[in-house]
């Protein structure tokens, strides 16, 4: 880079060099500007090569969602027996033998408990006043800190009338209830309790093999139409080109900043 070092002199431009922009520590010559267009073209060409391969993979994924068959909950069992392939289906999921805890009212599909304690912390820090004097301080504060987790869930569920293992699905998008439990108001221990209901309607996209569902498909409260739109709408290429343009700008700026003596007349 064209830095100004102690006991050194700025680089002297040769008379044959045409300087377009001159800054304190570096400058842009005509030859550098011309070469930068070649550099931008090369990086853009590479960007198109990479994006075409990425776009192909994205299109292959979205094609599955577009071609997936929409079936009713009553057709789910038949589709599972015949291995119909990729499907969208909306139906009722019901817990078999719901779970509970003694101190939690009701029964649920799953119960996740985050255990917390109210703890005192001490923080040491320093400040500097206007006269440059350093002052040492101690601050005490309290916060709820997570100390452990507990929970349980049912072993099996029934989806669209078909009994399946609980782990067959991913339930992250299924909303539940969140409550805080304390044994008494003054207790320094509490539990944050997350529960999911025994029964709810859910949409699934999955690949139905003969008598099994491939993988662990996600369950969502979205309708089939909305869920299909979410899966087929991709902003990945926009993000790729945004980052690629930023990368191109950084490379060109770096090229201008370095000392490109190889472009100068000998």
């Amino acid at each position: 880079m064209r830095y100004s070092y102690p006991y050194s002199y700025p680089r002297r431009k040769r008379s044959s060099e045409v300087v377009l922009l001159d800054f304190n520590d570096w400058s842009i010559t005509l030859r550098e500007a011309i070469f930068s267009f070649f550099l931008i073209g090369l990086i853009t060409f590479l960007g198109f090569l990479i994006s075409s391969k990425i776009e192909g993979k994205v299109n292959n994924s979205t094609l599955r969602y577009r071609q997936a068959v929409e079936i009713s909950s009553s057709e789910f069992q038949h589709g599972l027996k015949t291995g119909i392939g990729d499907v969208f289906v909306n139906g009722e999921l019901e817990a078999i033998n719901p779970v509970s805890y003694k101190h939690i009212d009701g029964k649920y599909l799953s119960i996740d408990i985050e255990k917390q304690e109210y703890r005192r912390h001490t923080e040491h820090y320093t400040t500097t006043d206007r006269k440059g004097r350093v002052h040492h301080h101690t601050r005490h504060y309290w916060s709820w800190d997570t100390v452990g987790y507990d929970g349980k869930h049912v072993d099996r569920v029934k989806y669209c009338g078909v009994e399946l293992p609980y782990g067959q699905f991913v339930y992250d998008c299924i909303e539940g209830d969140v409550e805080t439990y304390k044994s008494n108001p003054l207790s320094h221990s509490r539990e944050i309790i997350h529960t999911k209901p025994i029964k709810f309607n859910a949409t699934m996209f999955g690949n139905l093999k003969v008598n099994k569902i491939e993988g662990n498909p996600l369950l969502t409260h979205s309708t089939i139409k909305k869920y299909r739109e979410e899966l087929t709408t991709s902003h990945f290429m926009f993000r790729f080109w945004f980052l690629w343009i930023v990368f191109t700008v950084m490379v060109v700026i770096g090229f201008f900043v370095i000392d490109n003596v190889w472009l100068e007349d000998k």
Side-chain angles (χ1 to χ4, degrees):
M1 296 181 65
R2 298 172 186 162
Y3 298 112
S4 296
Y5 298 99
Y7 314 110
S8 64
Y9 297 95
R11 184 170 68 90
R12 297 179 63 184
K13 295 290 181 183
R14 296 178 181 272
S15 58
S16 60
E17 292 184 77
V18 179
V19 179
L20 300 180
L21 292 172
D22 197 0
F23 302 94
N24 291 332
D25 297 325
W26 57 282
S27 59
I28 300 176
T29 66
L30 178 61
R31 295 181 182 182
E32 287 176 325
I34 293 173
F35 189 83
S36 68
F37 285 108
F38 167 77
L39 189 61
I40 292 172
L42 177 62
I43 296 176
T44 303
F45 175 72
L46 291 175
F48 276 111
L49 287 180
I50 296 172
S51 66
S52 63
K53 293 188 176 296
I54 295 174
E55 190 172 13
K57 293 183 178 180
V58 172
N59 289 338
N60 288 337
S61 297
T62 56
L63 187 62
R64 282 189 63 197
Y65 307 135
R66 293 192 183 100
Q67 294 181 342
V69 179
E70 183 177 332
I71 62 174
S72 65
S73 59
S74 59
E75 297 171 321
F76 179 74
Q77 187 169 5
H78 177 72
L80 199 56
K81 287 182 179 179
T82 58
I84 193 173
D86 289 330
V87 299
F88 281 98
V89 59
N90 179 275
E92 184 180 79
L93 183 137
E94 183 178 2
I96 299 176
N97 297 324
V99 296
S100 63
Y101 277 94
K102 290 183 179 179
H103 63 289
I104 299 175
D105 294 333
K107 295 185 176 182
Y108 302 93
L109 171 75
S110 65
I111 303 173
D112 295 300
I113 301 175
E114 180 182 355
K115 298 181 179 182
Q116 297 182 340
E117 290 183 359
Y118 198 55
R119 294 179 173 179
R120 185 174 184 266
H121 302 274
T122 301
E123 180 184 24
H124 301 283
Y125 64 98
T126 59
T127 60
T128 305
D129 60 23
R130 294 181 178 179
K131 295 182 179 180
R133 293 175 296 191
V134 177
H135 301 275
H136 299 275
H137 307 273
T138 299
R139 182 172 75 96
H140 301 287
Y141 66 94
W142 292 77
S143 67
W144 286 102
D145 300 333
T146 300
V147 296
Y149 294 92
D150 194 6
K152 60 175 67 173
H153 57 73
V154 301
D155 294 324
R156 299 187 70 78
V157 298
K158 185 179 289 186
Y159 183 60
C160 297
V162 179
E163 189 172 323
L164 297 162
Y166 171 85
Q168 178 69 80
F169 304 107
V170 177
Y171 305 86
D172 294 347
C173 292
I174 301 301
E175 296 177 0
D177 293 327
V178 181
E179 295 182 0
T180 300
Y181 170 80
K182 297 177 70 174
S183 57
N184 65 76
L186 300 179
S187 174
H188 278 213
S189 299
R190 71 179 185 182
E191 295 178 343
I192 308 299
I193 302 169
H194 301 260
T195 58
K196 294 193 186 301
I198 295 175
K199 186 185 296 185
F200 52 86
N201 278 343
T203 298
M204 178 203 79
F205 167 79
N207 186 268
L208 302 188
K209 302 290 187 181
V210 177
N211 295 324
K212 70 175 183 178
I213 305 174
E214 187 177 62
N216 306 98
L218 178 74
L219 294 180
T220 173
H221 284 309
S222 299
T223 63
I224 292 178
K225 181 180 178 181
K226 185 176 179 181
Y227 192 31
R228 192 194 293 266
E229 288 177 354
E230 291 173 358
L231 293 173
T232 53
T233 302
S234 175
H235 301 287
F236 187 83
M237 295 309 302
F238 173 80
R239 291 193 292 266
F240 167 79
W241 278 111
F242 173 78
L243 294 174
W244 196 256
I245 289 171
V246 172
F247 169 73
T248 303
V249 171
M250 297 299 293
V251 169
V252 172
I253 292 175
F255 169 72
F256 285 142
V257 171
I258 63 176
D259 199 354
N260 298 298
V261 294
W262 55 280
L263 286 173
E264 301 171 8
D265 290 333
K266 301 297 183 182

